[in-house]
Amino acid sequence: MIAYRAMVDVPREVVQYLARLLAAERRARGTRSGTRALTCFYQALLVLVWFRKGEDATLLGAGFGVSRATAYRYLAEGVTVLAEQAQDLHTPLRRVADDGWSYVILDGKLFDCDRLTETTLNVKQETIDAWYSGKHRDFGANIQAVMRPDGLPVWTSDAMPGHLHDLTCARQQGVTAALHWSAAELDLPALADSGYEGAGHGIKTPVKQPADGHRLDVDNRAFNRLLRGLRWQGERGFAILIGRWKALRHTTASPRRIGGIVAAALHLTHFEYKYLPGTC
């Protein structure tokens, strides 16, 4: 292999913050000083290089002077300590309301992963690929997210198999129940696309075209236009995450781990946006 100099465009404060989380994890595990191949700082740097650039773990490990197995172990540990900072959905909803926002955006996305052999039964009792989305014609994990009106994502869900519908995932993850609560208790409704039709109280979706081919009533057309005008910027949330953290664009890890990887990327994003708990 040939070594070369490289740089990663993340603030040093992010590396130091992650290093402190890793140091706390080592203390909790009882890791003795001097027994690790990398210090907490360089382990944090390794993790952030992977998130930012999506580097191959073997080459990344070689660049830091550790084996492929050690690189994977360090990456998994970094993802875990970041994902553990995630909060229950009710907490970020309260914060959005306290910050003066009048609504949130609900959206779902398929995060691309390698082809899998896991199968399941569909509603017709036919065997299908569990992680294949017929809508997107790709394999991946369905992740639900709640965004502020300006597009900043405030919460992401665990991974669900890609064959499931957005509304099914939102219900099984308890997202719809939390949004019903926020609409009723915080006066904070959620805006969503037509994939969430029938989600219930407080989750606003577009009015669909009549099945008989007639044009929508003018009031319904105005409602749909207003909804699109309010929702479009909030749907930038996934673009913020994927644009900043290249590792989210495709994963070779188990798709069940994608939820933790996205939650870790969300926490890094909150640090950079100064949106961690207790910050302004």
Side-chain angles (χ1 to χ4, degrees):
M1 292 187 182
I2 301 174
Y4 67 96
R5 285 181 175 270
M7 298 183 69
V8 60
D9 55 341
V10 297
R12 189 178 185 87
E13 292 77 14
V14 180
V15 186
Q16 293 171 332
Y17 172 72
L18 179 52
R20 290 194 294 271
L21 294 179
L22 291 169
E25 177 68 13
R26 291 187 185 187
R27 288 194 298 270
R29 293 186 179 189
T31 303
R32 291 174 296 165
S33 178
T35 59
R36 291 289 194 100
L38 295 180
T39 64
C40 292
F41 181 88
Y42 281 103
Q43 183 184 354
L45 184 59
L46 180 148
V47 172
L48 289 168
V49 169
W50 179 78
F51 267 108
R52 184 69 185 97
K53 297 186 174 183
E55 296 274 13
D56 176 80
T58 302
L59 297 178
L60 183 60
F64 280 84
V66 298
S67 69
R68 178 173 181 265
T70 301
Y72 273 114
R73 188 169 65 252
Y74 280 179
L75 286 174
E77 188 175 79
V79 168
T80 298
V81 299
L82 287 168
E84 285 177 346
Q85 311 306 311
Q87 299 175 315
D88 176 76
L89 178 53
H90 292 77
T91 301
L93 287 173
R94 286 192 188 94
R95 181 171 182 182
V96 171
D98 291 343
D99 288 344
W101 299 101
S102 57
Y103 62 92
V104 292
I105 312 294
L106 171 63
D107 200 12
K109 177 176 174 56
L110 188 80
F111 280 78
D112 186 64
C113 71
D114 284 352
R115 182 187 179 98
L116 299 171
T117 58
E118 185 179 345
T119 60
T120 188
L121 296 177
N122 63 12
V123 293
K124 298 180 181 179
Q125 298 303 301
E126 299 170 337
T127 301
I128 60 172
D129 290 304
W131 297 89
Y132 181 78
S133 169
K135 175 183 176 181
H136 298 90
R137 298 184 180 181
D138 197 7
F139 289 84
N142 185 302
I143 299 291
Q144 300 293 301
V146 175
M147 275 78 70
R148 292 191 323 194
D150 63 350
L152 180 66
V154 298
W155 180 86
T156 57
S157 72
D158 291 334
M160 297 289 287
H163 79 277
L164 295 174
H165 192 272
D166 277 338
L167 180 55
T168 302
C169 294
R171 282 174 171 164
Q172 293 187 14
Q173 295 277 359
V175 180
T176 54
L179 293 176
H180 296 163
W181 168 83
S182 68
E185 300 296 328
L186 305 176
D187 194 22
L188 189 72
L191 310 185
D193 59 32
S194 57
Y196 296 91
E197 184 182 21
H201 167 74
I203 302 177
K204 311 297 184 182
T205 59
V207 180
K208 288 189 175 181
Q209 292 288 342
D212 58 10
H214 285 80
R215 195 178 184 191
L216 275 178
D217 180 84
V218 63
D219 290 342
N220 288 333
R221 294 202 305 272
F223 173 82
N224 286 352
R225 178 172 293 184
L226 176 61
L227 193 64
R228 287 195 302 269
L230 293 174
R231 201 182 71 234
W232 72 270
Q233 189 167 358
E235 292 188 336
R236 294 173 51 243
F238 284 120
I240 289 174
L241 291 174
I242 294 174
R244 179 59 174 158
W245 311 110
K246 190 176 178 180
L248 301 183
R249 299 176 190 177
H250 179 81
T251 182
T252 57
S254 166
R256 297 190 185 279
R257 294 180 55 197
I258 292 177
I261 294 171
V262 175
L266 176 66
H267 192 69
L268 292 172
T269 301
H270 284 177
F271 184 91
E272 292 194 337
Y273 277 73
K274 302 185 186 305
Y275 195 70
L276 294 184
T279 61
C280 299

